[in-house]
Amino acid sequence: MPEHAGSDRSGRRRGRLSRELVMTTALALVDRDGLSGLSMRRLAAELGVGAMALYRYAAGKDALLDGLVEAVFGEFLATLREAAPDTPGEPLIPQARAGDWRGELHRTVREIHRVSLRHPRVVPLYATRMLAVPLAGRPRTVLLAQERVLALLAGAGLDDGRTRLAYRAVMAWALGYVFVELTAVVENPDEPEPAIRLGLQRMPAHEMPLLRAAAPALAGPAGEEVLAVGLDALLDRFLGGPEREAMR
């Protein structure tokens, strides 16, 4: 079936089919209906084309899932570019150099957090697709995000070994924090009684006293302040000793 313009539910023309349009539409579909609602047939219907027309842009369901991760990280990279309008010449991947590397790393981690919270139903794919796809096979947007973190840490004056260790720690904190923020805690959102809303009656008090006590606080996000505090704690750990003295 040849490519042609599709239409949205209001009947407006969408324009010619493209990979960007396919993945943007897939992302909107998952945001609305969840990952279980994504299929080649459903996506084709959203675009107003036959399902076979999509195979030029995604070979199957796995390719669609990778495309969702690509789209979210593409949004993250676009946000980084837009957030610095006064420095249009600043590269996405900074050269390894001293400077405001810490501030840029904070901005990077903060934007990963923000874009993830905008697309919470895609976040599980960060784990499942990264476990299934080797490094070189990951979407280019993901690789550029990883390259940026490494470049910023190299700009801190760390040696190669410590840069790589710090990279692991920073990525684990940034992505792990998102997972914890999005962990389901509330059992019945419409229940006004807090204990029943959280389902505490199903958690034996004698076995889980600390978790029961913490549940009300865990029901809401901790926010970006805690994210920043944890990131600084990690960076201070890796900048101890000779490296810290060299930065003064």
Side-chain angles (χ1 to χ4, degrees):
M1 182 174 182
E3 293 182 26
H4 62 277
S7 62
D8 63 21
R9 291 182 173 181
S10 65
R12 292 173 301 187
R13 304 291 282 181
R14 283 179 175 269
R16 289 185 63 81
L17 206 59
S18 67
R19 178 173 173 79
E20 181 180 5
L21 177 60
V22 168
M23 295 311 169
T24 300
T25 305
L27 182 58
L29 176 59
V30 170
D31 285 343
R32 187 184 72 225
D33 297 336
L35 287 168
S36 63
L38 178 66
S39 68
M40 298 295 268
R41 188 176 299 276
R42 284 282 306 278
L43 180 57
E46 290 285 317
L47 289 163
V49 300
M52 292 303 296
L54 300 182
Y55 284 89
R56 176 177 178 180
Y57 307 100
K61 183 67 175 288
D62 284 348
L64 274 183
L65 298 179
D66 290 338
L68 290 173
V69 178
E70 176 185 358
V72 170
F73 273 81
E75 184 176 321
F76 155 71
L77 295 177
T79 301
L80 286 180
R81 292 188 180 99
E82 293 167 2
D86 295 333
T87 55
E90 185 68 17
L92 183 63
I93 308 300
Q95 297 297 314
R97 64 184 187 278
D100 189 24
W101 65 269
R102 185 185 284 252
E104 281 300 297
L105 191 57
H106 268 276
R107 184 165 74 96
T108 299
V109 169
R110 183 175 65 248
E111 294 304 337
I112 289 175
H113 178 257
R114 289 178 178 177
V115 74
S116 297
L117 295 190
R118 288 198 294 270
H119 305 288
R121 290 174 164 178
V122 177
V123 168
L125 296 178
Y126 294 1
T128 58
R129 297 312 300 161
M130 299 300 184
L131 291 173
V133 180
L135 177 66
R138 293 174 190 169
R140 181 173 179 270
T141 56
V142 174
L143 297 177
L144 286 173
Q146 294 173 316
E147 180 75 11
R148 177 180 172 84
V149 172
L150 279 166
L152 289 168
L153 290 169
L158 301 176
D159 60 32
D160 288 347
R162 189 164 281 201
T163 293
R164 292 159 191 164
L165 288 174
Y167 164 81
R168 287 176 179 267
V170 168
M171 294 301 292
W173 173 247
L175 299 181
Y177 191 85
V178 169
F179 286 131
V180 172
E181 287 275 82
L182 293 175
T183 297
V185 176
V186 175
E187 183 172 86
N188 186 354
D190 298 325
E191 172 57 53
E193 172 58 41
I196 299 176
R197 182 170 179 265
L198 296 170
L200 298 187
Q201 72 279 6
R202 297 167 51 132
M203 301 169 62
H206 65 284
E207 288 184 328
M208 308 166 191
L210 297 178
L211 188 56
R212 279 176 58 108
L218 297 177
E224 293 180 2
E225 182 178 354
V226 176
L227 176 67
V229 169
L231 179 58
D232 275 329
L234 284 173
L235 296 176
D236 288 344
R237 168 65 179 82
F238 284 98
L239 286 170
E243 288 80 8
R244 174 170 290 179
E245 293 299 323
M247 294 292 290
R248 291 179 179 175

